[in-house]
Amino acid sequence: FPEMLSNPKLVLVQGALNVVMNQNVTLSCLSESGSPPVRYTLFRHNQQVSALNRSDLTPALFSLTMSSASDVGEYKCKAEYNISSGGKYSNSLNFTLIEPISKPVLSSPTSQAKKGQNVTLSCLSENGSLPITYLFFKGTQNISPQKTMQKREAAVIFLFIDSLSDFGTYKCKANNSFPNNTKYSNAFNFTLAEERSHSQPLIISLGLILLLLIIGFALAIPFFVIPLYKASE
């Protein structure tokens, strides 16, 4: 009688569990105890993907290409003797498809600011696999620690406009686990808000008073000046 099979071990021998589209991976399935020949069957979401027979104690190697979103998910393998109706199942490996991020958008609730004002900057990539890491810059200088977002929400920083140099060009960059996929945002500039002089409202008020006096004098001419002119004739 053949020796009882142990539960096989499913191991990733090439590639990664986080995969990009059209990436190749290789899985190894092996029962460390048992009497060959052994049949190994690979399953994805409980559906058979492939099957291999081994006449010795060497692992069954399954080469796969992750060509679509339906190829990722949970994989298991099963080891069994051809003469038996039962079998042993392995541990599971879960593949996740990672997608490149889109160009992040840098924005602020206000584009105008004045010295001594607090402002905010938000950076968001609408597409791409989470988590996404963001970094903010002014010119080429990093102005914030990295912010890693686990949800599809913007990374936000708070700034204090202290001098004219704070009105420079701001950018942010974003990246995720997709290889070689760092993206930079649009440039954003704060403009200096015009500050009204304290004397300006007073000047406007005096001008209006003077205008009203001129209009009043013009209206009074028919009633006072003309009768006085006639009386003196």
Side-chain angles (χ1 to χ4, degrees), residues 14-27:
Q14 179 191 348
L17 293 178
N18 291 328
V19 296
V20 299
M21 199 71 76
N22 296 320
Q23 181 175 334
N24 296 320
V25 298
T26 302
L27 300 176

Side-chain angles (χ1 to χ4, degrees), residues 167-189:
F167 289 92
T169 299
Y170 292 86
K171 282 189 175 184
C172 67
K173 74 174 183 179
N175 58 61
N176 62 0
S177 54
F178 194 95
N180 303 317
N181 188 232
T182 297
K183 295 285 183 68
Y184 285 85
S185 72
N186 55 294
F188 187 90
N189 290 76

Side-chain angles (χ1 to χ4, degrees), residues 33 92 121 152:
S33 65
S92 62
L121 280 173
R152 187 75 61 190

Side-chain angles (χ1 to χ4, degrees), residues 22-230:
N22 296 320
Q23 181 175 334
N24 296 320
V25 298
T26 302
L27 300 176
S28 167
C29 185
L30 176 65
S31 288
E32 294 182 346
S33 65
S35 300
V38 179
R39 180 177 176 83
Y40 294 98
T41 305
L42 184 68
F43 295 89
R44 179 184 65 246
H45 299 307
N46 298 320
Q47 292 185 340
Q48 181 175 330
V49 175
S50 181
L52 293 171
N53 293 317
R54 280 290 175 264
S55 59
D56 53 19
L57 293 175
T58 58
L61 297 178
F62 298 97
S63 296
L64 307 171
T65 300
M66 301 297 180
S67 57
S68 68
S70 63
D71 292 326
V72 298
E74 184 184 58
Y75 283 77
K76 285 186 178 183
C77 71
K78 178 183 180 183
E80 59 187 335
Y81 292 126
N82 290 333
I83 60 173
S84 68
S85 59
K88 296 292 184 65
Y89 284 90
S90 72
N91 55 296
S92 62
L93 292 178
N94 205 334
F95 287 92
T96 302
L97 183 67
I98 56 174
E99 297 176 318
I101 55 175
S102 58
K103 179 180 178 179
V105 175
L106 183 63
S107 61
S108 176
T110 179
S111 60
Q112 291 189 332
K114 56 187 178 181
K115 288 192 290 183
Q117 181 177 343
N118 291 305
V119 294
T120 61
L121 280 173
S122 301
C123 186
L124 175 64
S125 287
E126 290 284 356
N127 299 302
S129 301
L130 298 169
I132 298 176
T133 299
Y134 297 94
L135 197 60
F136 292 82
F137 297 87
K138 186 172 79 67
T140 58
Q141 182 180 1
N142 172 21
I143 58 171
S144 73
Q146 286 189 350
K147 293 181 176 289
T148 300
M149 311 304 292
Q150 304 291 340
K151 298 180 180 180
R152 187 75 61 190
E153 57 188 17
V156 179
I157 62 169
F158 300 89
L159 301 173
F160 179 70
I161 303 298
D162 190 39
S163 64
L164 291 177
S165 64
D166 295 326
F167 289 92
T169 299
Y170 292 86
K171 282 189 175 184
C172 67
K173 74 174 183 179
N175 58 61
N176 62 0
S177 54
F178 194 95
N180 303 317
N181 188 232
T182 297
K183 295 285 183 68
Y184 285 85
S185 72
N186 55 294
F188 187 90
N189 290 76
F190 291 103
T191 57
L192 181 62
E194 294 183 3
E195 297 186 21
R196 292 185 177 181
S197 170
H198 294 295
S199 61
Q200 189 175 3
L202 179 61
I203 294 173
I204 294 174
S205 299
L206 291 175
L208 289 174
I209 293 172
L210 181 60
L211 179 62
L212 290 173
L213 288 174
I214 293 172
I215 294 173
F217 181 73
L219 293 174
I221 289 176
F223 297 100
F224 294 100
V225 177
I226 295 176
L228 288 174
Y229 176 75
K230 290 181 176 181

